[in-house]
Amino acid sequence: MKILSDMLSNDVFFSFSIMVITLFVSAVIYLIITLFLKRIKDISPVCLKSPVRSLIPAGCFLVVAPALRFPDDIQTMIVGAFSIWFIMSVGWFLIRLVKAVRESFLRFYDINTPDNLKARAVHTQVKVIENILIILIVFLTVSFILMSFESVRQIGTSLLASAGIAGVVLGFAAQRTLGNFIAGIQIA
């Protein structure tokens, strides 16, 4: 009993123990989510498996990171690494989710039929929307990663602010064009 209390009082051993327990908990959560994803018929769980496999432990480690008892400089590096891992995992998951939704939506529009004009139009429109969403996700992911570093936080904030301003300016400048584009998507 004395040995166990001495080991638990050691900060590094305690921190590694917490990390190992967190890894096991995240594995159990992953198994539960995998079983849930298998029940969803519309979205293929295969394409979401890898991002979920990364996202769950990253989130779990990020939650327990404040409880770790490493020295301050190492603690800061570990929390930063977990934050970046989590942000990248969320971005990866969202990109895969966009692709999965695209695939589940486009399976209703077969372009191999003889009269496939509508199907080709839908495929093109969905691909354009998918590309826009992926660019937006990558942009936001990079911005949030930059904001997690104290030394370059201003760059990440500037990117988000300039994207907001550019969006407003482009929205006003291309209002008529965007209106026609959206109307074309709705008609097709």
Side-chain angles (χ1 to χ4, degrees):
M1 197 63 162
K2 172 85 169 118
I3 295 173
L4 182 61
S5 66
D6 288 343
M7 289 174 69
L8 289 177
S9 66
N10 184 350
D11 291 342
V12 174
F13 178 77
F14 176 79
S15 297
F16 279 120
S17 300
I18 292 292
M19 291 173 72
V20 168
I21 291 169
T22 302
L23 193 60
F24 284 122
V25 168
S26 66
V28 170
I29 293 171
Y30 172 74
L31 290 175
I32 292 169
I33 289 177
T34 304
L35 291 174
F36 174 73
L37 285 177
K38 286 181 181 177
R39 295 177 184 262
I40 299 175
K41 301 291 184 208
D42 291 337
I43 297 177
S44 172
V46 174
C47 68
L48 297 176
K49 220 174 194 179
S50 295
V52 168
R53 191 178 301 141
S54 176
L55 181 63
I56 292 171
C60 289
F61 281 126
L62 194 58
V63 167
V64 300
L68 300 178
R69 297 185 198 160
F70 288 113
D72 287 339
D73 55 341
I74 295 175
Q75 180 82 6
T76 303
M77 287 182 3
I78 288 174
V79 170
F82 288 157
S83 298
I84 292 170
W85 179 20
F86 181 73
I87 293 168
M88 290 175 63
S89 296
V90 168
W92 184 21
F93 176 78
L94 290 175
I95 289 172
R96 286 288 184 94
L97 185 63
V98 166
K99 290 179 180 282
V101 169
R102 180 205 67 200
E103 289 299 320
S104 67
F105 181 74
L106 289 182
R107 69 180 171 179
F108 297 113
Y109 297 96
D110 186 18
I111 59 172
N112 295 324
T113 59
D115 185 23
N116 63 3
L117 183 61
K118 181 176 181 174
R120 287 186 299 149
V122 169
H123 273 260
T124 302
Q125 292 165 352
V126 169
K127 187 65 178 168
V128 167
I129 292 171
E130 176 196 16
N131 288 341
I132 291 170
L133 287 175
I134 288 175
I135 288 170
L136 181 67
I137 291 168
V138 169
F139 181 80
L140 289 174
T141 301
V142 169
S143 296
F144 288 138
I145 288 173
L146 288 175
M147 287 174 60
S148 69
F149 293 107
E150 189 66 39
S151 58
V152 291
R153 180 171 289 159
Q154 189 65 32
I155 295 172
T157 307
S158 299
L159 281 174
L160 288 176
S162 65
I165 292 170
V168 169
V169 169
L170 285 175
F172 281 127
Q175 189 173 9
R176 184 179 196 104
T177 306
L178 289 175
N180 290 337
F181 176 73
I182 292 171
I185 289 174
Q186 290 175 348
I187 290 173

